[in-house]
Amino acid sequence: MVPVNYYIILSAILFTIGAVGVLIRRNPLVIFMSVELMLNAANLAMVAFSSVYKSFSGQIFVFFVIAVAAAEVAVGLALIVEIFKTKHNINVDEMNSLKG
Amino acid sequence: MTVDLILFLILALVSVSTALGMLLSRNTVYSALFLVLNFVTVAVFYLLLGAPFIAMAQVTVYAGAIMVLFLFVIMLLGTEVLPASNILPWQKPLAGGLAAVLAVEAIYLLLVRARSVAQVTSPDVAINSMDNLREMGKVLFSTYLLPFEVTSILLLVAMVGAIVLTKKEKA
C-alpha cells in the first residue's frame, strides 16, 4: 500500500530535474532527453491517478503521449542532424541565425 | 512498512539518482544510458500501479526505440563531450533557484491543496490478467477510437517529415 501522494511527489521531483536540464545544459541532445524525462514524470502522475480512480482513461492518455513522444523524437533528431550538417557544431549557444 | 512501500522507496531512490546522473554527466552517452535506467524504473512503477500494458510499452518504445535513436544520433554526430561554455554565467544559479521554486510550489500544492488520502492498493490478481488488457483494448477502440486514428496519421506525418528533413537535396 503506497499512498498516491508519494507517486505524485516523485513525479514532481522528476519533472523539476527535467526542467533544470532544459535550462542549464547546452547540448541539444541532453535538452531533448530532459524533455523526455518531463514527459515521463507527467505520465507517472497520470498512471497513478488512473490507478486511484480505477479508470483506464489515464493509461490510454499515457499510451498516446508515448506515441507522440516517439514522433517528436524522430523529427527533433532529424532537425539536430541537419543543423549539425550545416554548422558542424550543435552547441545551442551557436544557433543564433535562422538562415543555415 | 509493507513490501510495496519498501520497493517503492528503493526504486524512487534509483529513479531520482539516475535522473540526476543524466543531468550532471558530462558525457552524452552516459546521460543516455542513465536515462534508459530511469525509464526502466518508471516501467516498474507502472507495474506496481497495475498498468502492465503501459509498462511494456514504456520498455519497448522509450527504453528500446527512442533511446536507441538517441544513442545512434549521439555517436553519428560524434559530440559525446561538449566544451563547457560560459556565455551566460548567471544562467545556472538562476535556473537552480527557479527549479527550487517549482519543486516547492508543486509539492506544497499537492500536499496542502489536494490533501489526497487515497492509497494505491497493490493490484489484485484480476488487474494483471488478460481481462484487464481486454477491457483496456475495448475502451481504446471504442471511446478513444478517433484519437487513436489521429495518432496514426501523426506518426505517418512524423515519418515523412524526418525523411524529408534528412534527404539530400538534388542540385
Side-chain angles (χ1 to χ4, degrees):
Chain A
M1 304 282 272
V2 183
V4 69
N5 277 348
Y6 290 11
Y7 281 103
I8 307 303
I9 291 171
L10 177 68
S11 156
I13 292 170
L14 288 179
F15 190 90
T16 311
I17 294 173
V20 175
V22 171
L23 289 175
I24 68 172
R25 294 305 301 266
R26 303 262 62 87
N27 187 333
L29 289 162
V30 179
I31 292 177
F32 228 135
M33 287 190 238
S34 303
V35 172
E36 298 301 316
L37 188 63
M38 287 159 81
L39 282 172
N40 232 15
N43 284 351
L44 184 60
M46 269 197 276
V47 173
F49 282 128
S50 131
S51 169
V52 168
Y53 291 109
K54 304 270 179 251
S55 152
F56 283 117
S57 301
Q59 293 186 26
I60 288 172
F61 264 87
V62 168
F63 175 68
F64 288 137
V65 170
I66 290 177
V68 172
E72 172 224 332
V73 165
V75 175
L77 289 179
L79 281 172
I80 291 176
V81 169
E82 200 54 30
I83 289 170
F84 184 80
K85 272 195 216 157
T86 49
K87 297 190 93 103
H88 300 287
N89 190 354
I90 54 165
N91 193 332
V92 286
D93 286 334
E94 313 279 326
M95 294 178 201
N96 47 16
S97 70
L98 286 173
K99 197 160 181 277
Chain B
M1 294 283 273
T2 59
V3 179
D4 271 18
L5 194 57
I6 295 168
L7 191 56
F8 173 84
L9 290 176
I10 294 171
L11 280 172
L13 193 65
V14 173
S15 157
V16 170
S17 46
T18 48
L20 284 173
M22 188 277 288
L23 178 64
L24 299 174
S25 148
R26 299 305 314 171
N27 188 324
T28 318
V29 177
Y30 293 166
S31 288
L33 293 176
F34 273 126
L35 196 59
V36 171
L37 194 51
N38 183 277
F39 286 160
V40 172
T41 54
V42 173
V44 180
F45 285 136
Y46 292 159
L47 280 180
L48 281 177
L49 288 165
F53 175 69
I54 298 298
M56 291 306 120
Q58 168 93 1
V59 171
T60 49
V61 178
Y62 261 120
I66 290 183
M67 292 320 292
V68 166
L69 202 55
F70 264 107
L71 283 171
F72 183 74
V73 170
I74 292 166
M75 290 172 182
L76 178 75
L77 300 187
T79 51
E80 285 88 356
V81 186
L82 276 189
S85 138
N86 46 8
I87 290 184
L88 299 171
W90 42 267
Q91 192 180 17
K92 274 187 187 179
L94 182 65
L98 285 176
V101 171
L102 177 67
V104 169
E105 193 177 6
I107 291 173
Y108 172 82
L109 282 177
L110 289 164
L111 290 186
V112 178
R113 294 280 302 281
R115 200 183 289 284
S116 164
V117 289
Q119 295 255 332
V120 177
T121 51
S122 40
D124 32 324
V125 185
I127 206 160
N128 269 330
S129 69
M130 287 302 286
D131 286 347
N132 179 271
L133 291 180
R134 195 174 291 127
E135 287 306 310
M136 189 171 162
K138 276 182 191 160
V139 178
L140 181 61
F141 288 112
S142 57
T143 317
Y144 294 99
L145 183 61
L146 181 66
F148 184 81
E149 297 294 342
V150 172
T151 308
S152 71
I153 295 174
L154 179 80
L155 285 172
L156 178 67
V157 170
M159 191 175 77
V160 173
I163 292 170
V164 168
L165 276 173
T166 48
K167 198 167 71 87
K168 281 204 183 75
E169 283 176 34
K170 292 204 180 71

